[in-house]
């Protein structure tokens, strides 16, 4: 194959690669595909002979590159890290100035910054694009977060806009296909140029961190309803189904309702009851939390969601500890269960607002750190369709940034302030109830502490700074002097001034 026939090419035919390639071909783009293991490519091409655009199977990397129209656009969907570098290394000698490499994997944003720099120096153009939505999203409409060389975006844009999830431009509601599996046309496409070098992969990482928070919050609501109120999975399935009709309308609430209604195919018992309580993770939540620590930006709710998975993983220790460590003697719940369910819903909503406030703060800080100019309203909008955190709520974030693009924190927006004003009494009641009953609610309670800390003009860190000055001469600023002037007391002297009793 030496004739340049394809609009675009894709390397890496694992599940995500196959689905994305079919989505691209469905939209009329001829796409060349290559996989390290040739048999996988052959099976894939043979299984999909009639796509509108057409698949061009390539056995060699040379043939693959030669089959692409210029400037060549090559999407890489292999494992993040060393495999991605290896594939790029193989491509470099085969590509020409101006050609474009697009990494659609879950790359760490600083790897994307490095790769963009290296490829730019070689005359190639690089885009690191977040792809969210799992298999289903990749196949029928993901949320796409491209960052990198801006002029390269113009070449990728027609393809990315065609294949991304579509939402109603006014309401932000996801548009469903006329027929299942048929591409959706029209509407706002859930992709936008995010910013230079690693900006796209950074935003994808924060998306995943927020996803960790959302999932853990839902689990805490489930835990309270199960272990304090004594509700059954099926009853909770109905409740989540109801919640999905209101402020919490989202993909994750919807699938939770489905899961809680699901029977185990083997035993017929509620499916959730037979699933072992140990969660895995691939690292993007951890990256988000580590980055928050590195930048000194509070994102405690995301971090708690990561730690909750870590705690879940030490199953054997927890099983042993349950026989040794005691909790409160919680009485049977005798209050109004319907009222408490509503309080839990409100606590979940408030916690979610705080978690998103933290995620958007993180992006705000990162844009200073990395010299990006991020459009937070647009980012919330492209999360509306295709991705795992898609939710009606994101429209409120878009609206908040439309009201004030410089908004310091989502909590300060009138809509979110109003929501928390209306719901915080319930939120506090739920957090107190969990403490009384000994139910672990790391995200609900950390979000509340974040909220209370953020709205407190004078925190107790006056005492902390005094401690630092005492043992380490770290100095302190004074309330009665301008900021930026530092003082120190010569502490250890026995005759230091004492407060009169
Ligand atoms: P494979 O089918 O030959 O294993 C996800 O693992 C995808 O990344 C697969 O398509 C896999 O190809 C590909 N992949 C993993 N490591 C690779 C490498 N070093 N070079 C090329 N492709 C690789």
């Amino acid at each position: 194959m030496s004739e340049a026939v394809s609009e675009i090419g894709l390397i890496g035919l694992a599940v995500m690669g196959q689905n994305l390639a079919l989505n691209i071909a469905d939209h009329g783009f001829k796409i060349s595909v290559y996989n390290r293991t040739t048999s996988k490519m052959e099976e894939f091409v043979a299984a999909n002979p009639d796509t509108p655009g057409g698949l061009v199977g390539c056995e060699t990397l040379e043939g693959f590159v030669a089959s692409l129209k210029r400037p060549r656009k090559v999407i890489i969907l292999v494992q993040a890290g060393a495999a991605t570098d290896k594939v790029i290394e193989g491509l470099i000698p085969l590509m020409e100035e101006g050609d474009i490499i697009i990494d659609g994997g879950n790359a760490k944003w600083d790897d994307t910054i490095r790769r963009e720099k290296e490829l730019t120096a070689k005359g190639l153009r690089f885009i690191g694009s977040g792809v969210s939505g799992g298999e289903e999203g990749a196949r029928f409409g993901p949320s796409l977060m491209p960052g990198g060389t801006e002029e390269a975006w113009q070449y990728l844009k027609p393809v990315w806009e065609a294949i991304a999830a579509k939402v109603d431009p006014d309401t932000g509601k996801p548009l469903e296909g006329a027929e299942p599996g048929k591409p959706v046309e029209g509407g706002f496409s859930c992709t936008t140029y995010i910013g230079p070098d690693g900006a796209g992969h950074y935003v994808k990482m924060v998306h995943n961190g927020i996803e960790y928070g959302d999932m853990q919050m839902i689990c805490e609501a489930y835990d309270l309803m199960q272990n304090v109120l004594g509700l059954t999975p099926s009853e909770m399935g109905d409740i989540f189904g109801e919640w999905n009709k209101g402020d919490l309308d989202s993909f994750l609430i919807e699938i939770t309702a489905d899961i809680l209604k699901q029977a185990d195919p083997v035993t017929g018992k509620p499916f959730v009851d037979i699933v072992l309580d140990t969660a895995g993770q691939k690292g993007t939540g951890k990256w988000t939390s580590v980055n928050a620590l590195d930048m000194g930006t509070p994102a405690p709710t995301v971090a708690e969601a990561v730690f909750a998975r870590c705690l879940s993983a030490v199953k054997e220790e927890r099983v042993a500890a349950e026989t040794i460590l005691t909790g409160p003697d919680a009485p049977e719940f005798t209050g109004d269960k319907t009222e408490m369910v509503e309080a839990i819903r409100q606590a979940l909503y408030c916690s979610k607002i705080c978690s998103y406030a933290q995620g958007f703060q993180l992006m705000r800080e990162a844009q200073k750190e990395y010299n990006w100019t991020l459009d937070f309203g647009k980012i919330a909008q492209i999360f509306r369709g295709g991705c795992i955190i898609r939710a009606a709520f994101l429209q409120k974030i878009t609206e908040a940034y439309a009201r004030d693009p410089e908004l310091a924190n989502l909590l300060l927006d009138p809509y979110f302030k109003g929501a928390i004003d209306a719901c915080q009494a319930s939120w506090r009641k739920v957090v107190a109830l969990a403490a009384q009953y000994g139910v672990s609610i790391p995200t609900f309670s950390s979000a509340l502490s974040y909220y209370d800390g953020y709205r407190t003009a004078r925190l107790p860190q006056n005492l902390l700074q005094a401690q630092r000055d005492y043992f380490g001469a770290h100095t302190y600023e004074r309330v009665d002097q301008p900021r930026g002037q530092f003082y120190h007391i010569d502490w250890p002297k026995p005759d230091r001034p004492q407060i009169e009793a």
Side-chain angles (χ1 to χ4, degrees), residues 11-15 34-38 40 77-79 82-84 86-87:
I11 298 177
L13 291 171
V15 179
Y34 171 81
N35 194 63
R36 181 179 56 179
T37 309
T38 306
K40 209 188 264 182
L77 263 169
V78 303
Q79 283 147 334
T84 304
K86 196 137 192 269
V87 172

PDB file of all heavy atoms in Angstrom, residues 11-15 34-38 40 77-79 82-84 86-87, ligand 1:
ATOM      1  N   ILE A  11      -3.344   3.774  15.442  1.00  0.00           N
ATOM      2  CA  ILE A  11      -2.462   2.684  15.871  1.00  0.00           C
ATOM      3  C   ILE A  11      -2.925   2.183  17.235  1.00  0.00           C
ATOM      4  O   ILE A  11      -3.095   2.985  18.170  1.00  0.00           O
ATOM      5  CB  ILE A  11      -1.001   3.174  15.995  1.00  0.00           C
ATOM      6  CG1 ILE A  11      -0.481   3.643  14.643  1.00  0.00           C
ATOM      7  CG2 ILE A  11      -0.101   2.084  16.575  1.00  0.00           C
ATOM      8  CD1 ILE A  11       0.934   4.216  14.682  1.00  0.00           C
ATOM      9  N   GLY A  12      -3.119   0.907  17.360  1.00  0.00           N
ATOM     10  CA  GLY A  12      -3.484   0.311  18.659  1.00  0.00           C
ATOM     11  C   GLY A  12      -4.931  -0.131  18.662  1.00  0.00           C
ATOM     12  O   GLY A  12      -5.834   0.662  18.948  1.00  0.00           O
ATOM     13  N   LEU A  13      -5.139  -1.408  18.315  1.00  0.00           N
ATOM     14  CA  LEU A  13      -6.527  -1.881  18.151  1.00  0.00           C
ATOM     15  C   LEU A  13      -7.005  -2.707  19.345  1.00  0.00           C
ATOM     16  O   LEU A  13      -7.567  -3.783  19.180  1.00  0.00           O
ATOM     17  CB  LEU A  13      -6.664  -2.654  16.838  1.00  0.00           C
ATOM     18  CG  LEU A  13      -6.524  -1.768  15.589  1.00  0.00           C
ATOM     19  CD1 LEU A  13      -6.439  -2.614  14.328  1.00  0.00           C
ATOM     20  CD2 LEU A  13      -7.690  -0.778  15.487  1.00  0.00           C
ATOM     21  N   ALA A  14      -6.775  -2.201  20.543  1.00  0.00           N
ATOM     22  CA  ALA A  14      -7.440  -2.766  21.712  1.00  0.00           C
ATOM     23  C   ALA A  14      -8.876  -2.214  21.687  1.00  0.00           C
ATOM     24  O   ALA A  14      -9.277  -1.569  20.710  1.00  0.00           O
ATOM     25  CB  ALA A  14      -6.704  -2.393  22.975  1.00  0.00           C
ATOM     26  N   VAL A  15      -9.627  -2.426  22.764  1.00  0.00           N
ATOM     27  CA  VAL A  15     -11.056  -2.071  22.741  1.00  0.00           C
ATOM     28  C   VAL A  15     -11.288  -0.595  22.382  1.00  0.00           C
ATOM     29  O   VAL A  15     -12.103  -0.283  21.501  1.00  0.00           O
ATOM     30  CB  VAL A  15     -11.689  -2.376  24.117  1.00  0.00           C
ATOM     31  CG1 VAL A  15     -13.148  -1.991  24.122  1.00  0.00           C
ATOM     32  CG2 VAL A  15     -11.539  -3.848  24.435  1.00  0.00           C
ATOM     33  N   TYR A  34      -3.536   0.154  12.193  1.00  0.00           N
ATOM     34  CA  TYR A  34      -2.332  -0.670  12.358  1.00  0.00           C
ATOM     35  C   TYR A  34      -2.274  -1.155  13.792  1.00  0.00           C
ATOM     36  O   TYR A  34      -2.653  -0.432  14.720  1.00  0.00           O
ATOM     37  CB  TYR A  34      -1.069   0.170  12.041  1.00  0.00           C
ATOM     38  CG  TYR A  34       0.210  -0.529  12.396  1.00  0.00           C
ATOM     39  CD1 TYR A  34       0.768  -1.489  11.543  1.00  0.00           C
ATOM     40  CD2 TYR A  34       0.856  -0.260  13.603  1.00  0.00           C
ATOM     41  CE1 TYR A  34       1.935  -2.150  11.880  1.00  0.00           C
ATOM     42  CE2 TYR A  34       2.038  -0.920  13.946  1.00  0.00           C
ATOM     43  CZ  TYR A  34       2.569  -1.865  13.083  1.00  0.00           C
ATOM     44  OH  TYR A  34       3.717  -2.528  13.426  1.00  0.00           O
ATOM     45  N   ASN A  35      -1.848  -2.383  13.958  1.00  0.00           N
ATOM     46  CA  ASN A  35      -1.656  -2.918  15.305  1.00  0.00           C
ATOM     47  C   ASN A  35      -0.366  -3.720  15.327  1.00  0.00           C
ATOM     48  O   ASN A  35      -0.024  -4.383  14.342  1.00  0.00           O
ATOM     49  CB  ASN A  35      -2.842  -3.809  15.679  1.00  0.00           C
ATOM     50  CG  ASN A  35      -2.864  -4.108  17.163  1.00  0.00           C
ATOM     51  OD1 ASN A  35      -3.010  -3.199  17.976  1.00  0.00           O
ATOM     52  ND2 ASN A  35      -2.691  -5.371  17.519  1.00  0.00           N
ATOM     53  N   ARG A  36       0.337  -3.654  16.474  1.00  0.00           N
ATOM     54  CA  ARG A  36       1.603  -4.400  16.586  1.00  0.00           C
ATOM     55  C   ARG A  36       1.392  -5.873  16.227  1.00  0.00           C
ATOM     56  O   ARG A  36       2.116  -6.433  15.434  1.00  0.00           O
ATOM     57  CB  ARG A  36       2.141  -4.240  18.016  1.00  0.00           C
ATOM     58  CG  ARG A  36       3.440  -4.937  18.262  1.00  0.00           C
ATOM     59  CD  ARG A  36       3.916  -4.712  19.667  1.00  0.00           C
ATOM     60  NE  ARG A  36       2.920  -5.136  20.663  1.00  0.00           N
ATOM     61  CZ  ARG A  36       3.097  -5.071  21.969  1.00  0.00           C
ATOM     62  NH1 ARG A  36       4.213  -4.573  22.453  1.00  0.00           N
ATOM     63  NH2 ARG A  36       2.160  -5.471  22.803  1.00  0.00           N
ATOM     64  N   THR A  37       0.363  -6.466  16.804  1.00  0.00           N
ATOM     65  CA  THR A  37       0.031  -7.856  16.470  1.00  0.00           C
ATOM     66  C   THR A  37      -0.915  -7.833  15.273  1.00  0.00           C
ATOM     67  O   THR A  37      -2.075  -7.423  15.388  1.00  0.00           O
ATOM     68  CB  THR A  37      -0.651  -8.536  17.678  1.00  0.00           C
ATOM     69  OG1 THR A  37       0.166  -8.304  18.825  1.00  0.00           O
ATOM     70  CG2 THR A  37      -0.829 -10.020  17.453  1.00  0.00           C
ATOM     71  N   THR A  38      -0.395  -8.251  14.112  1.00  0.00           N
ATOM     72  CA  THR A  38      -1.137  -8.083  12.861  1.00  0.00           C
ATOM     73  C   THR A  38      -2.476  -8.819  12.854  1.00  0.00           C
ATOM     74  O   THR A  38      -3.465  -8.328  12.304  1.00  0.00           O
ATOM     75  CB  THR A  38      -0.265  -8.551  11.672  1.00  0.00           C
ATOM     76  OG1 THR A  38       0.977  -7.842  11.754  1.00  0.00           O
ATOM     77  CG2 THR A  38      -0.909  -8.253  10.335  1.00  0.00           C
ATOM     78  N   LYS A  40      -4.675  -9.198  15.026  1.00  0.00           N
ATOM     79  CA  LYS A  40      -5.769  -8.414  15.634  1.00  0.00           C
ATOM     80  C   LYS A  40      -6.324  -7.403  14.625  1.00  0.00           C
ATOM     81  O   LYS A  40      -7.532  -7.195  14.529  1.00  0.00           O
ATOM     82  CB  LYS A  40      -5.245  -7.690  16.882  1.00  0.00           C
ATOM     83  CG  LYS A  40      -6.326  -7.461  17.928  1.00  0.00           C
ATOM     84  CD  LYS A  40      -5.847  -6.586  19.063  1.00  0.00           C
ATOM     85  CE  LYS A  40      -5.349  -7.361  20.262  1.00  0.00           C
ATOM     86  NZ  LYS A  40      -4.930  -6.466  21.360  1.00  0.00           N
ATOM     87  N   LEU A  77      -3.450   4.917  20.193  1.00  0.00           N
ATOM     88  CA  LEU A  77      -4.254   4.472  21.336  1.00  0.00           C
ATOM     89  C   LEU A  77      -3.644   3.204  21.911  1.00  0.00           C
ATOM     90  O   LEU A  77      -4.200   2.114  21.780  1.00  0.00           O
ATOM     91  CB  LEU A  77      -5.706   4.239  20.912  1.00  0.00           C
ATOM     92  CG  LEU A  77      -6.631   5.423  21.196  1.00  0.00           C
ATOM     93  CD1 LEU A  77      -7.971   5.251  20.541  1.00  0.00           C
ATOM     94  CD2 LEU A  77      -6.797   5.651  22.688  1.00  0.00           C
ATOM     95  N   VAL A  78      -2.464   3.368  22.457  1.00  0.00           N
ATOM     96  CA  VAL A  78      -1.803   2.232  23.113  1.00  0.00           C
ATOM     97  C   VAL A  78      -1.662   2.585  24.592  1.00  0.00           C
ATOM     98  O   VAL A  78      -2.098   3.653  25.028  1.00  0.00           O
ATOM     99  CB  VAL A  78      -0.423   1.929  22.465  1.00  0.00           C
ATOM    100  CG1 VAL A  78      -0.591   1.657  20.981  1.00  0.00           C
ATOM    101  CG2 VAL A  78       0.578   3.048  22.696  1.00  0.00           C
ATOM    102  N   GLN A  79      -1.063   1.666  25.361  1.00  0.00           N
ATOM    103  CA  GLN A  79      -0.943   1.952  26.789  1.00  0.00           C
ATOM    104  C   GLN A  79      -0.158   3.235  27.020  1.00  0.00           C
ATOM    105  O   GLN A  79       0.812   3.510  26.303  1.00  0.00           O
ATOM    106  CB  GLN A  79      -0.238   0.788  27.493  1.00  0.00           C
ATOM    107  CG  GLN A  79      -1.160  -0.389  27.697  1.00  0.00           C
ATOM    108  CD  GLN A  79      -0.428  -1.709  27.604  1.00  0.00           C
ATOM    109  OE1 GLN A  79       0.619  -1.820  26.954  1.00  0.00           O
ATOM    110  NE2 GLN A  79      -0.976  -2.720  28.221  1.00  0.00           N
ATOM    111  N   ALA A  82       5.509   4.035  28.496  1.00  0.00           N
ATOM    112  CA  ALA A  82       6.597   3.571  27.623  1.00  0.00           C
ATOM    113  C   ALA A  82       6.085   3.118  26.248  1.00  0.00           C
ATOM    114  O   ALA A  82       6.737   3.376  25.224  1.00  0.00           O
ATOM    115  CB  ALA A  82       7.347   2.430  28.297  1.00  0.00           C
ATOM    116  N   ALA A  83       4.916   2.461  26.208  1.00  0.00           N
ATOM    117  CA  ALA A  83       4.409   1.972  24.922  1.00  0.00           C
ATOM    118  C   ALA A  83       4.143   3.142  23.975  1.00  0.00           C
ATOM    119  O   ALA A  83       4.451   3.073  22.778  1.00  0.00           O
ATOM    120  CB  ALA A  83       3.140   1.145  25.128  1.00  0.00           C
ATOM    121  N   THR A  84       3.583   4.219  24.513  1.00  0.00           N
ATOM    122  CA  THR A  84       3.303   5.404  23.689  1.00  0.00           C
ATOM    123  C   THR A  84       4.621   5.974  23.134  1.00  0.00           C
ATOM    124  O   THR A  84       4.719   6.288  21.933  1.00  0.00           O
ATOM    125  CB  THR A  84       2.556   6.466  24.521  1.00  0.00           C
ATOM    126  OG1 THR A  84       1.373   5.865  25.045  1.00  0.00           O
ATOM    127  CG2 THR A  84       2.199   7.683  23.698  1.00  0.00           C
ATOM    128  N   LYS A  86       7.357   4.411  22.624  1.00  0.00           N
ATOM    129  CA  LYS A  86       7.914   3.464  21.651  1.00  0.00           C
ATOM    130  C   LYS A  86       7.236   3.639  20.288  1.00  0.00           C
ATOM    131  O   LYS A  86       7.906   3.658  19.242  1.00  0.00           O
ATOM    132  CB  LYS A  86       7.680   2.046  22.181  1.00  0.00           C
ATOM    133  CG  LYS A  86       8.492   1.009  21.513  1.00  0.00           C
ATOM    134  CD  LYS A  86       9.068   0.007  22.510  1.00  0.00           C
ATOM    135  CE  LYS A  86      10.108  -0.841  21.810  1.00  0.00           C
ATOM    136  NZ  LYS A  86       9.575  -2.040  21.225  1.00  0.00           N
ATOM    137  N   VAL A  87       5.942   3.785  20.287  1.00  0.00           N
ATOM    138  CA  VAL A  87       5.209   3.952  19.024  1.00  0.00           C
ATOM    139  C   VAL A  87       5.611   5.277  18.365  1.00  0.00           C
ATOM    140  O   VAL A  87       5.847   5.329  17.147  1.00  0.00           O
ATOM    141  CB  VAL A  87       3.684   3.874  19.269  1.00  0.00           C
ATOM    142  CG1 VAL A  87       2.914   4.230  18.006  1.00  0.00           C
ATOM    143  CG2 VAL A  87       3.287   2.482  19.748  1.00  0.00           C
TER     144      VAL A  87
HETATM  145  P1  LIG B   1      -0.877  -5.632  20.709  1.00  0.00           P
HETATM  146  O1  LIG B   1      -2.250  -6.035  20.249  1.00  0.00           O
HETATM  147  O2  LIG B   1       0.167  -6.034  19.751  1.00  0.00           O
HETATM  148  O3  LIG B   1      -0.578  -6.110  22.102  1.00  0.00           O
HETATM  149  C1  LIG B   1      -3.318  -1.825  24.059  1.00  0.00           C
HETATM  150  O4  LIG B   1      -2.506  -2.665  24.799  1.00  0.00           O
HETATM  151  C2  LIG B   1      -2.819  -1.694  22.638  1.00  0.00           C
HETATM  152  O5  LIG B   1      -1.498  -1.160  22.669  1.00  0.00           O
HETATM  153  C3  LIG B   1      -2.747  -2.981  21.858  1.00  0.00           C
HETATM  154  O6  LIG B   1      -3.230  -2.712  20.591  1.00  0.00           O
HETATM  155  C4  LIG B   1      -1.255  -3.312  21.843  1.00  0.00           C
HETATM  156  O7  LIG B   1      -0.839  -4.023  20.748  1.00  0.00           O
HETATM  157  C5  LIG B   1      -0.686  -1.929  21.814  1.00  0.00           C
HETATM  158  N1  LIG B   1       0.697  -1.875  22.294  1.00  0.00           N
HETATM  159  C6  LIG B   1       1.121  -2.072  23.541  1.00  0.00           C
HETATM  160  N2  LIG B   1       2.449  -1.902  23.632  1.00  0.00           N
HETATM  161  C7  LIG B   1       2.864  -1.582  22.385  1.00  0.00           C
HETATM  162  C8  LIG B   1       4.115  -1.258  21.827  1.00  0.00           C
HETATM  163  N3  LIG B   1       5.227  -1.231  22.576  1.00  0.00           N
HETATM  164  N4  LIG B   1       4.153  -0.980  20.523  1.00  0.00           N
HETATM  165  C9  LIG B   1       3.036  -1.015  19.760  1.00  0.00           C
HETATM  166  N5  LIG B   1       1.825  -1.276  20.249  1.00  0.00           N
HETATM  167  C10 LIG B   1       1.734  -1.567  21.533  1.00  0.00           C
END
